[in-house]
Amino acid sequence: MLKIKLNEMQFHAHIGVYPEERAVGQDIIVNVELDAKPVDNEVLLEDKLENTINYGPVYKMVAEIVSRPEIKLIETLAVTILQSIKADYSDQLDNVIVSIKKKNLPINGIIDSAEVEVSDK
Protein backbone atom coordinates (compact mmCIF):
# COMPACT_ATOMS: atom_id res chain seq x y z
CA MET A 1 0.00 0.00 0.00
CA LEU A 2 1.24 3.46 -0.88
CA LYS A 3 0.19 6.40 1.23
CA ILE A 4 1.30 9.93 0.37
CA LYS A 5 0.84 12.70 2.93
CA LEU A 6 1.13 16.43 2.45
CA ASN A 7 1.51 17.68 6.00
CA GLU A 8 1.02 21.08 7.56
CA MET A 9 0.50 23.13 4.39
CA GLN A 10 0.07 26.65 5.75
CA PHE A 11 -1.97 29.38 4.11
CA HIS A 12 -3.39 32.76 4.98
CA ALA A 13 -7.02 32.59 3.87
CA HIS A 14 -9.93 35.00 3.93
CA ILE A 15 -12.32 32.33 5.15
CA GLY A 16 -15.06 32.66 7.72
CA VAL A 17 -18.67 33.69 8.09
CA TYR A 18 -18.02 36.90 9.98
CA PRO A 19 -17.04 40.06 8.04
CA GLU A 20 -13.97 40.67 10.22
CA GLU A 21 -12.68 37.15 9.51
CA ARG A 22 -13.05 37.66 5.79
CA ALA A 23 -11.47 41.13 5.86
CA VAL A 24 -8.43 40.32 7.99
CA GLY A 25 -8.05 36.68 7.06
CA GLN A 26 -6.49 34.00 9.19
CA ASP A 27 -3.99 31.22 9.14
CA ILE A 28 -5.15 27.72 8.27
CA ILE A 29 -3.31 24.44 8.10
CA VAL A 30 -4.24 21.81 5.52
CA ASN A 31 -3.27 18.14 5.58
CA VAL A 32 -3.95 15.78 2.70
CA GLU A 33 -3.56 12.03 2.80
CA LEU A 34 -3.65 10.11 -0.47
CA ASP A 35 -4.16 6.35 -0.37
CA ALA A 36 -3.02 5.08 -3.74
CA LYS A 37 -4.61 2.11 -5.45
CA PRO A 38 -2.46 -0.98 -4.98
CA VAL A 39 0.75 -0.84 -6.93
CA ASP A 40 3.47 -3.44 -7.05
CA ASN A 41 6.65 -2.47 -5.20
CA GLU A 42 8.65 -3.53 -8.26
CA VAL A 43 6.90 -0.78 -10.22
CA LEU A 44 7.89 1.77 -7.57
CA LEU A 45 11.49 0.55 -7.78
CA GLU A 46 11.55 1.73 -11.40
CA ASP A 47 11.97 5.20 -9.84
CA LYS A 48 9.67 6.94 -12.33
CA LEU A 49 7.34 9.78 -11.44
CA GLU A 50 4.56 8.40 -13.63
CA ASN A 51 4.36 5.34 -11.35
CA THR A 52 3.22 7.40 -8.39
CA ILE A 53 1.17 10.50 -7.59
CA ASN A 54 3.01 13.75 -8.21
CA TYR A 55 2.24 15.78 -5.10
CA GLY A 56 3.49 19.08 -6.54
CA PRO A 57 0.31 19.59 -8.59
CA VAL A 58 -1.76 18.49 -5.59
CA TYR A 59 -0.18 21.28 -3.52
CA LYS A 60 -0.90 23.82 -6.27
CA MET A 61 -4.51 22.64 -6.44
CA VAL A 62 -4.94 23.08 -2.68
CA ALA A 63 -3.36 26.55 -2.79
CA GLU A 64 -5.68 27.64 -5.60
CA ILE A 65 -8.79 26.38 -3.81
CA VAL A 66 -7.77 28.01 -0.50
CA SER A 67 -7.49 31.37 -2.29
CA ARG A 68 -11.09 31.30 -3.56
CA PRO A 69 -12.99 34.20 -1.99
CA GLU A 70 -16.44 32.58 -2.14
CA ILE A 71 -15.69 29.82 0.38
CA LYS A 72 -16.71 30.66 3.95
CA LEU A 73 -16.64 27.39 5.90
CA ILE A 74 -13.66 25.13 6.49
CA GLU A 75 -16.05 22.22 5.96
CA THR A 76 -16.81 23.49 2.45
CA LEU A 77 -13.12 24.06 1.83
CA ALA A 78 -12.25 20.51 2.90
CA VAL A 79 -14.91 18.90 0.70
CA THR A 80 -13.96 21.09 -2.27
CA ILE A 81 -10.31 20.05 -1.95
CA LEU A 82 -11.27 16.39 -1.57
CA GLN A 83 -13.56 16.42 -4.62
CA SER A 84 -10.98 18.21 -6.77
CA ILE A 85 -8.22 15.76 -5.90
CA LYS A 86 -10.52 12.80 -6.45
CA ALA A 87 -11.64 14.17 -9.84
CA ASP A 88 -8.07 14.62 -11.10
CA TYR A 89 -6.62 11.40 -9.66
CA SER A 90 -9.60 9.01 -9.49
CA ASP A 91 -7.79 6.30 -11.44
CA GLN A 92 -4.87 6.34 -8.96
CA LEU A 93 -6.64 6.72 -5.59
CA ASP A 94 -8.54 4.48 -3.24
CA ASN A 95 -9.16 7.16 -0.63
CA VAL A 96 -8.46 10.79 0.15
CA ILE A 97 -8.48 12.39 3.60
CA VAL A 98 -8.39 16.16 3.99
CA SER A 99 -8.13 17.94 7.32
CA ILE A 100 -8.20 21.67 7.88
CA LYS A 101 -7.21 23.43 11.04
CA LYS A 102 -8.33 27.01 11.57
CA LYS A 103 -6.26 29.13 13.95
CA ASN A 104 -7.18 32.47 15.58
CA LEU A 105 -10.84 31.71 16.11
CA PRO A 106 -13.37 34.46 16.84
CA ILE A 107 -14.27 32.78 20.13
CA ASN A 108 -14.10 34.47 23.52
CA GLY A 109 -11.97 31.87 25.23
CA ILE A 110 -8.70 29.99 25.11
CA ILE A 111 -8.59 27.60 22.18
CA ASP A 112 -5.76 26.60 19.88
CA SER A 113 -7.78 25.81 16.78
CA ALA A 114 -10.83 24.20 15.24
CA GLU A 115 -10.34 21.30 12.85
CA VAL A 116 -12.46 19.37 10.38
CA GLU A 117 -11.62 16.17 8.56
CA VAL A 118 -13.37 14.68 5.54
CA SER A 119 -12.76 11.41 3.78
CA ASP A 120 -13.85 9.82 0.57
CA LYS A 121 -14.87 6.67 2.44
Side-chain angles (χ1 to χ4, degrees), residues 4-55:
I4 298 172
K5 297 180 180 183
L6 284 82
N7 298 316
E8 303 289 316
M9 294 180 278
Q10 297 182 30
F11 303 97
H12 188 78
H14 293 271
I15 193 166
V17 294
Y18 301 110
E20 56 273 11
E21 288 181 289
R22 296 185 67 73
V24 175
Q26 57 207 290
D27 297 328
I28 62 168
I29 298 169
V30 179
N31 293 292
V32 173
E33 185 174 305
L34 308 170
D35 292 337
K37 288 186 177 175
V39 61
D40 188 275
N41 284 342
E42 293 301 316
V43 172
L44 294 175
L45 285 173
E46 292 175 7
D47 203 26
K48 295 179 181 174
L49 185 57
E50 61 266 17
N51 293 339
T52 187
I53 298 168
N54 185 347
Y55 49 82

Side-chain angles (χ1 to χ4, degrees), residues 20-121:
E20 56 273 11
E21 288 181 289
R22 296 185 67 73
V24 175
Q26 57 207 290
D27 297 328
I28 62 168
I29 298 169
V30 179
N31 293 292
V32 173
E33 185 174 305
L34 308 170
D35 292 337
K37 288 186 177 175
V39 61
D40 188 275
N41 284 342
E42 293 301 316
V43 172
L44 294 175
L45 285 173
E46 292 175 7
D47 203 26
K48 295 179 181 174
L49 185 57
E50 61 266 17
N51 293 339
T52 187
I53 298 168
N54 185 347
Y55 49 82
V58 174
Y59 176 89
K60 287 181 183 179
M61 179 187 300
V62 170
E64 186 276 322
I65 294 168
V66 166
S67 70
R68 293 181 185 170
E70 71 273 10
I71 298 176
K72 295 178 184 170
L73 301 175
I74 58 174
E75 292 86 347
T76 304
L77 181 61
V79 171
T80 302
I81 291 169
L82 182 139
Q83 289 177 340
S84 296
I85 291 170
K86 195 67 176 175
D88 282 10
Y89 298 93
S90 62
D91 59 328
Q92 295 174 277
L93 292 171
D94 270 342
N95 190 36
V96 178
I97 300 171
V98 176
S99 67
I100 299 181
K101 188 184 295 186
K102 185 175 173 182
K103 309 285 277 177
N104 309 319
L105 302 167
I107 294 174
N108 188 13
I110 300 171
I111 184 170
D112 178 68
S113 61
E115 185 172 357
V116 300
E117 180 177 289
V118 295
S119 173
D120 195 39
K121 291 189 178 184

